[in-house]
Amino acid sequence: MSDTHSLADSETRTALGHGWSTTVWDDPVNLMPYVTYVFRQYFGYSREDAEQLMLQVHNAGRASVASGDREQQERHVAAMHGYGLQATVERI
Amino acid sequence: MRAWERTDDGVRARFEDAEAAMFENLADQLKLLHRAAAQGAVEFADPAVQRLYPDGYSDPEEAKEFKRFSLPQIAESRERAQDAIIVGLVTADRKEGHRIVSVGDDEVDDWLRGVSDMRTVLSSRIELGTGGQNADFDEDDLEQFSAVVDWLGFVQASLLEAL
């Protein structure tokens, strides 16, 4: 019972906009196939999904590539920085 | 340089001696920069450093705190990536006027990241133009940087294609 309750709680929190996301921003340097590679390599996205996200970064200037708890997003953002991508932790 | 080719356990490419020397020199410089960054001994106002170590939060206070705990590890891992490139170039199979560089599957990630860092720094210098914070460089330097950025782009793109 308590598990069900806490799950519902966390879903409510996310729905109310209390979650966190990893946002990758477009930069003028990194090549499109490299950005696709990073999304596949680090997050394990399929080629198709990684390309979709890369195109979103390229065309819209940014894309949310992961979401969840804050610590996890901070790890993701640190990893993106390690790949030379511009990324921030955002509240959603 | 010729495009990378797939081997049994990685990729392989031919680099002319002059290219390999320049590449190694860039890796050395980036390695020093990352080492200094890990020790907090870099000028964070430098646009090239800012691009390499961007803010992880839009809020300045949160960005500062995030940098404080995440930057040393990121910098050390990037220093190791440059090391992988240096070792690869130094231990390459040397021929007359060129060398055959082999990169194992487990080193590919380091090479790709390392090249990205080089392109980032050189591109920042080009964007700044001459004068001001960039007073150390003249037009000829920036033109040369531009050619190197393109060359590094080929190194990276052809490596990705060979995977």
Side-chain angles (χ1 to χ4, degrees):
Chain A
M1 275 301 277
S2 64
D3 281 356
T4 314
H5 185 70
S6 68
L7 178 65
D9 261 5
S10 80
E11 277 173 358
T12 309
R13 274 204 304 276
T14 307
L16 291 173
H18 289 201
W20 299 85
S21 79
T22 297
T23 296
V24 172
W25 301 82
D26 192 27
D27 74 72
V29 179
N30 283 302
L31 302 176
M32 295 200 285
Y34 175 67
V35 177
T36 304
Y37 162 87
V38 173
F39 292 164
R40 290 186 71 191
Q41 176 77 9
Y42 176 78
F43 292 107
Y45 282 119
S46 67
R47 180 183 292 275
E48 203 178 33
D49 288 348
E51 270 172 11
Q52 204 74 44
L53 287 168
M54 177 280 291
L55 285 173
Q56 205 184 324
V57 171
H58 184 70
N59 295 326
R62 58 177 283 180
S64 172
V65 296
S67 62
D69 71 52
R70 188 174 183 171
E71 263 181 54
Q72 190 183 37
Q73 306 318 305
E74 288 187 336
R75 277 198 301 279
H76 292 334
V77 166
M80 292 303 99
H81 288 182
Y83 276 104
L85 303 193
Q86 309 290 307
T88 50
V89 179
E90 302 283 332
R91 198 187 288 267
I92 47 176
Chain B
M1 191 244 171
R2 301 201 188 143
W4 296 89
E5 291 168 0
R6 183 80 210 157
T7 61
D8 289 344
D9 55 357
V11 290
R12 173 175 71 202
R14 171 189 164 135
F15 287 80
E16 302 308 315
D17 281 344
E19 293 173 326
M22 177 198 69
F23 202 6
E24 200 183 319
N25 181 267
L26 278 171
D28 275 331
Q29 290 183 45
L30 262 296
K31 182 185 156 140
L32 290 176
L33 197 155
H34 289 312
R35 181 178 296 173
Q39 296 162 350
V42 287
E43 186 53 70
F44 283 102
D46 180 342
V49 177
Q50 253 170 36
R51 184 77 64 76
L52 277 180
Y53 291 101
D55 287 342
Y57 279 93
S58 45
D59 176 79
E61 279 308 308
E62 285 185 311
K64 201 172 155 189
E65 176 64 9
F66 177 75
K67 204 163 269 182
R68 193 184 61 75
F69 74 78
S70 70
L71 192 143
Q73 263 188 315
I74 297 174
E76 280 164 25
S77 132
R78 293 169 108 171
E79 187 187 335
R80 285 197 298 276
Q82 297 298 333
D83 267 333
I85 294 178
I86 294 167
V87 169
L89 291 170
V90 169
T91 60
D93 185 11
R94 285 164 200 258
K95 311 277 189 197
E96 183 73 36
H98 68 273
R99 47 187 108 164
I100 306 296
V101 178
S102 299
V103 175
D105 283 325
D106 56 344
E107 298 159 335
V108 163
D109 201 67
D110 281 341
W111 274 68
L112 293 169
R113 291 163 64 213
V115 171
S116 167
D117 284 355
M118 294 172 188
R119 296 186 79 243
T120 295
V121 169
L122 291 171
S123 298
S124 296
R125 296 275 171 255
I126 296 165
E127 280 171 40
L128 277 176
T130 54
Q133 285 171 292
N134 231 7
D136 292 348
F137 308 109
D138 62 23
E139 291 290 348
D140 287 348
D141 292 327
L142 298 189
E143 244 174 65
Q144 206 193 336
F145 289 174
S146 185
V148 176
V149 168
D150 288 346
W151 182 82
L152 290 166
F154 176 74
V155 171
Q156 193 185 51
S158 86
L159 205 168
L160 285 164
E161 272 169 35
L163 295 181

